[in-house]
């Protein structure tokens, strides 16, 4: 979870490959640019508002594969251990092989969303004040989130995700 106490408590269930780098920036700003570990606070009140952003599972899986498994500048990102030592240059065959081998070792970038944050599947409907979707209407979802929780979250989300520029063109 990412969380903040200032000025009001707020917690987010952060999931890899759902803009987690950007959300990390949001919570750093909300927490006065403290280090990453400073804003993963525990012990917030039980009634702290919570939100989560979800993504189509297949889109998220393909995004993770392309981002983490394809060689960048000659360096493997070491998130795709099951592919080590294989000499497959065709990206489609490499993807098919990865799909076949995936269950052999979990990596958080490929971990099912339903299992995050103590099992979202068990309590998403009762414990979350906002559930958004990262999809074609992502910027609309960010605006809804901003309206739901207000300031200072709204300004920080607008800044980090460049909302004003993105929503003007739509």
């Amino acid at each position: 979870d990412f969380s903040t106490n200032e000025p009001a408590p707020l917690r987010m269930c952060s999931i890899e490959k759902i803009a987690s780098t950007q959300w990390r920036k949001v919570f750093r700003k909300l927490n006065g640019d403290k280090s990453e570990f400073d804003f993963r606070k525990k012990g917030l009140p039980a009634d702290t508002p919570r939100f989560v952003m979800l993504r189509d599972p297949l889109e998220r899986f393909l995004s993770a594969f392309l981002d983490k498994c394809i060689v960048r500048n000659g360096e493997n990102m070491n998130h795709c251990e099951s592919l080590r030592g294989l000499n497959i240059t065709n990206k489609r065959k490499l993807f098919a092989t990865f799909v076949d081998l995936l269950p052999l070792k979990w990596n958080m970038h490929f971990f099912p969303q339903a299992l995050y944050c103590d099992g979202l599947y068990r309590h998403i409907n009762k414990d979350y004040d906002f559930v958004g979707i990262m999809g074609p209407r992502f910027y609309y979802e960010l605006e809804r989130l901003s309206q739901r929780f207000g300031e200072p979250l709204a300004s920080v989300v607008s800044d980090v995700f460049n909302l004003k520029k993105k929503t003007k063109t739509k």
Side-chain angles (χ1 to χ4, degrees):
D1 281 4
F2 292 154
S3 61
T4 186
N5 266 326
E6 305 295 333
L10 180 65
R11 178 176 283 161
M12 176 195 188
C13 171
S14 176
I15 301 173
E16 279 81 7
K17 299 311 300 169
I18 305 181
S20 57
T21 299
Q22 297 305 97
W23 287 114
R24 188 172 291 113
K25 290 177 186 176
V26 166
F27 278 89
R28 273 197 185 124
K29 285 186 175 212
L30 289 172
N31 285 296
D33 288 324
K34 295 178 185 169
S35 75
E36 178 176 341
F37 300 102
D38 289 338
F39 65 79
R40 293 178 184 259
K41 297 175 184 156
K42 302 296 180 199
L44 291 173
D47 62 348
T48 298
R50 296 175 82 179
F51 74 96
V52 63
M53 298 298 283
L54 301 174
R55 187 175 185 182
D56 176 273
L58 295 177
E59 182 181 296
R60 180 175 168 261
F61 184 84
L62 179 59
S63 174
F65 174 78
L66 293 172
D67 186 46
K68 302 299 178 188
C69 298
I70 301 299
V71 175
R72 295 191 212 172
N73 299 325
E75 296 291 323
N76 188 290
M77 296 300 289
N78 294 323
H79 292 284
C80 307
E81 294 85 356
S82 60
L83 296 177
R84 275 200 197 127
L86 300 179
N87 190 21
I88 303 171
T89 56
N90 180 294
K91 290 178 183 172
R92 287 179 187 231
K93 288 183 180 177
L94 188 65
F95 181 68
T97 302
F98 183 71
V99 169
D100 289 341
L101 297 176
L102 181 67
L104 297 179
K105 186 163 184 167
W106 282 111
N107 177 288
M108 291 307 287
H109 294 90
F110 303 98
F111 202 66
Q113 297 169 90
L115 301 178
Y116 272 81
C117 300
D118 196 31
L120 279 172
Y121 71 94
R122 289 185 287 181
H123 51 83
I124 194 167
N125 291 328
K126 62 180 174 153
D127 291 347
Y128 283 81
D129 301 285
F130 181 90
V131 177
I133 304 295
M134 184 178 166
R137 296 173 43 99
F138 182 57
Y139 293 102
Y140 169 74
E141 295 288 299
L142 291 176
E143 287 178 343
R144 280 189 17 183
L145 174 76
S146 295
Q147 290 170 0
R148 170 66 178 85
F149 294 109
E151 294 297 340
L153 180 67
S155 295
V156 174
V157 165
S158 180
D159 180 48
V160 170
F161 287 97
N162 205 5
L163 265 187
K164 288 184 173 117
K165 188 179 254 187
K166 300 287 185 183
T167 55
K168 279 184 183 177
T169 59
K170 299 226 177 218

